[in-house]
Amino acid sequence: MNPIEIIAQYWPRLLDGTLMTIKLTFLGALIAALVSPGFALIRTHAAPLAQAPLRLYISFMRGTPILAQLFLIFYGSGQFRPILQDWGLWTFFRDPFNCALLAFALNSTAYQTEILRGGIMGVPQGEIEAAKAIGMTRFKTLRRVVFPHAYRIAWPALGNEVILLMKASALASVVTVFDIMGRTRQIFSRTFDFSIYLWAALIYLCITAIFVLIWRQAERRLSRHIEAHHKPRVAAQPAKEPQA
Amino acid sequence: MFELFSYGDTGWGDEILRGLAITVQLAIVTLPVGLLLGFLAAFASMSRLGPLRFLGFGYTTIMRGLPEILTLFVVYNGVGLLLNMALRWWNPERGATDFSPFAAGVIALGMVFGAFAGEVLRGAFQSLDKGQTEAGRAIGMTQGQIFRRIQLPQLWRFALPGLGNLWINMLKDTALVSVIALDDLMRMTKVAVGVTKQPFTFYLLACLIYWVMCVLSELVLYWMERRANRGIRRAV
């Protein structure tokens, strides 16, 4: 078969896989985005001893392969089946989609926390002092001064993290989730036609390209008040942090 | 409990160590391949020739956008297919030859490493002080001498943090080769799980081993960075 025939015959499956990849990536990134601001605040404000568990978690997530993390959750939960059944959690862990989502959310939370921490530390002290001077409460300062600026600093790095997560989501195919990669492997095992891999590559590249465009638009929106007056300064790079 | 991890027939210690050896071998063999590709990509994307620049840009952009596991399958199945076609063209009587998963792992991981390293090295090249190159030329150094004596030592200093991160990422990505049936740490763990029915224990052990390797790498990289920067006065 030629590449056109392959895509003509199998596009519904690939579309299905594409939606699954987007769903996994979006939900994983979203869950991590909800948890990471709190964690980032702990990383910047809590006492070193109180941070220890969080630092250990982040180091573990960044120092081990995401495939191993996925296996630890998906296959590893089987070892605790009786307990999980007692707690009514077994149906959750039996489903590969749930396990993949949990692994990706946990992994991305670690990365997003560190990125956001860099952003928070990049907020000039003067802005926080100014907020204090006009009588803002601590919470209000965080909401109106620190986080808006921190997100603007962290935005490009957060976009990179989402792309990394999208690429990592292809690993879900190994535990039988039918995302783009899962569908591609399924189709290849039937047709032995190599061109299906090239179609999959094209889809991944298109998703990345579209995402980059959307993310850049959002970035422009986040800093529209700056552009009106002068060119944005080179955003302070988040502090270089150790990998593991 | 510890009997499970013992060395010999009763435990899985030796099998897992054998897997670890494959993982380490794979990472160490991939590193020079990836660095070479990275240098080629960096030179190509800074070339004066348009088509070469396009090639460099295309390679780094596409490879960085693809999931590593897809790259691995493309190389494993695609190169295997090409290899068989070539061998059959050479000698029609020949049966199908299996492409070694180790070689596929080295090529795929090397290509991914090379694409990211190309960007790191290009950035490092562009942060070199132009005046120094001109000074080298002024005192009559050849292009090769300028590269070896002026550019390379500083390139190393600028690129080391980026390359260090890539090494750690690549070390973690080696776990993917277990999917194409190479007996690395991950796959030997899977074998142990299949027999002992203790998935959590063994996958946790595998995670801990990867973790230790990453932390050790980081210590070595920290030391290398300090050494590379020993001649530099830090602004206070």
Side-chain angles (χ1 to χ4, degrees), chain A residues 21 43 45 64 73 80 91 134-135 143 175 197-198 201 242:
Chain A
T21 292
R43 285 287 280 124
H45 287 75
T64 55
I73 292 173
F80 306 108
T91 45
I134 59 167
R143 197 163 53 94
V175 292
Y197 281 119
L198 303 181

Side-chain angles (χ1 to χ4, degrees), chain B residues 31 39 41 51 57-59 63 69 79 98 103-104 144 151-152 164 170 172 175 188 194-196 213 220 229:
Chain B
L31 184 64
F39 266 106
F57 172 79
Y59 165 64
M63 288 308 292
I69 190 167
V79 177
D98 273 337
Q151 293 181 325
L152 200 58
M170 190 256 283
K172 290 190 288 173
M188 292 318 274
V195 177
T196 61
M213 283 198 287
V220 172
N229 285 304

Side-chain angles (χ1 to χ4, degrees), chain B residues 132-133 136 141 145-154:
Chain B
Q132 296 182 1
T133 312
M141 283 188 178
Q145 279 175 327
I146 291 174
F147 182 72
R148 260 200 335 275
R149 296 191 187 165
I150 299 177
Q151 293 181 325
L152 200 58
Q154 305 195 67

Side-chain angles (χ1 to χ4, degrees), chain B residues 87-120:
Chain B
L87 285 175
R88 222 165 283 157
W89 179 76
W90 187 259
N91 175 8
E93 267 106 88
R94 210 186 158 95
T97 315
D98 273 337
F99 184 41
S100 135
F102 189 87
V106 169
I107 294 172
L109 293 174
M111 278 166 73
V112 174
F113 188 99
F116 283 93
E119 292 293 283
V120 169

Side-chain angles (χ1 to χ4, degrees), chain A residues 157-217:
Chain A
L158 285 174
N160 279 343
E161 164 54 22
V162 176
I163 291 176
L164 286 180
L165 185 64
M166 197 270 290
K167 285 168 44 176
S169 76
L171 295 177
S173 66
V174 181
V175 292
T176 69
V177 173
F178 283 108
D179 67 332
I180 301 174
M181 194 66 210
R183 287 295 177 198
T184 303
R185 286 171 68 183
Q186 188 189 34
I187 297 167
F188 183 78
S189 69
R190 285 189 195 173
T191 60
F192 285 104
D193 189 317
F194 183 67
S195 62
I196 192 67
Y197 281 119
L198 303 181
W199 284 112
L202 196 65
I203 296 175
Y204 275 113
L205 290 178
C206 284
I207 296 178
T208 309
I210 292 168
F211 174 79
V212 167
L213 287 181
I214 294 173
W215 205 252
R216 245 184 238 153
Q217 277 300 317

Side-chain angles (χ1 to χ4, degrees), chain B residues 3-18:
Chain B
E3 246 168 60
L4 275 177
F5 307 136
S6 69
Y7 210 85
D9 292 339
T10 49
W12 289 91
D14 46 339
E15 282 83 357
I16 285 171
L17 274 183
R18 266 210 308 277

Side-chain angles (χ1 to χ4, degrees), chain A:
Chain A
M1 275 196 275
N2 68 39
I4 306 296
E5 281 172 44
I6 280 279
I7 197 74
Q9 187 177 347
Y10 288 106
W11 71 266
R13 278 166 199 261
L14 277 181
L15 181 67
D16 189 56
T18 306
L19 294 179
M20 176 56 95
T21 292
I22 291 173
K23 189 168 140 195
L24 254 182
T25 310
F26 178 76
L27 287 178
L30 184 70
I31 294 169
L34 292 177
V35 183
S36 58
F39 280 5
L41 279 182
I42 296 176
R43 285 287 280 124
T44 49
H45 287 75
L49 206 64
Q51 285 186 27
L54 188 58
R55 291 182 71 151
L56 203 67
Y57 157 73
I58 291 171
S59 172
F60 181 83
M61 282 296 159
R62 304 209 302 179
T64 55
I66 196 163
L67 184 68
Q69 294 163 15
L70 182 58
F71 282 178
L72 188 64
I73 292 173
F74 182 62
Y75 296 118
S77 58
Q79 198 168 327
F80 306 108
R81 187 173 172 175
I83 306 170
L84 290 171
Q85 272 170 333
D86 279 351
W87 293 349
L89 285 172
W90 180 241
T91 45
F92 177 89
F93 282 102
R94 210 177 39 188
D95 181 9
F97 176 83
N98 291 340
C99 288
L101 183 60
L102 180 63
F104 298 152
L106 284 172
N107 186 277
S108 194
T109 299
Y111 281 94
Q112 288 192 25
T113 298
E114 283 304 281
I115 292 169
L116 209 50
R117 179 182 74 106
I120 291 174
M121 294 201 326
V123 176
Q125 200 59 38
E127 290 183 14
I128 296 160
E129 284 162 6
K132 202 180 278 177
I134 59 167
M136 280 194 190
T137 60
R138 282 188 75 171
F139 180 72
K140 210 174 228 179
T141 308
L142 284 179
R143 197 163 53 94
R144 294 206 179 156
V145 179
V146 175
F147 273 115
H149 198 165
Y151 271 104
R152 211 162 61 237
I153 294 171
W155 199 253
L158 285 174
N160 279 343
E161 164 54 22
V162 176
I163 291 176
L164 286 180
L165 185 64
M166 197 270 290
K167 285 168 44 176
S169 76
L171 295 177
S173 66
V174 181
V175 292
T176 69
V177 173
F178 283 108
D179 67 332
I180 301 174
M181 194 66 210
R183 287 295 177 198
T184 303
R185 286 171 68 183
Q186 188 189 34
I187 297 167
F188 183 78
S189 69
R190 285 189 195 173
T191 60
F192 285 104
D193 189 317
F194 183 67
S195 62
I196 192 67
Y197 281 119
L198 303 181
W199 284 112
L202 196 65
I203 296 175
Y204 275 113
L205 290 178
C206 284
I207 296 178
T208 309
I210 292 168
F211 174 79
V212 167
L213 287 181
I214 294 173
W215 205 252
R216 245 184 238 153
Q217 277 300 317
E219 185 177 351
R220 209 164 287 161
R221 244 191 96 73
L222 277 177
S223 42
R224 63 194 184 282
H225 57 292
I226 297 177
E227 266 169 34
H229 300 295
H230 52 82
K231 284 253 173 194
R233 286 171 298 168
V234 176
Q237 289 295 311
K240 186 188 161 291
E241 54 260 305
Q243 182 86 14

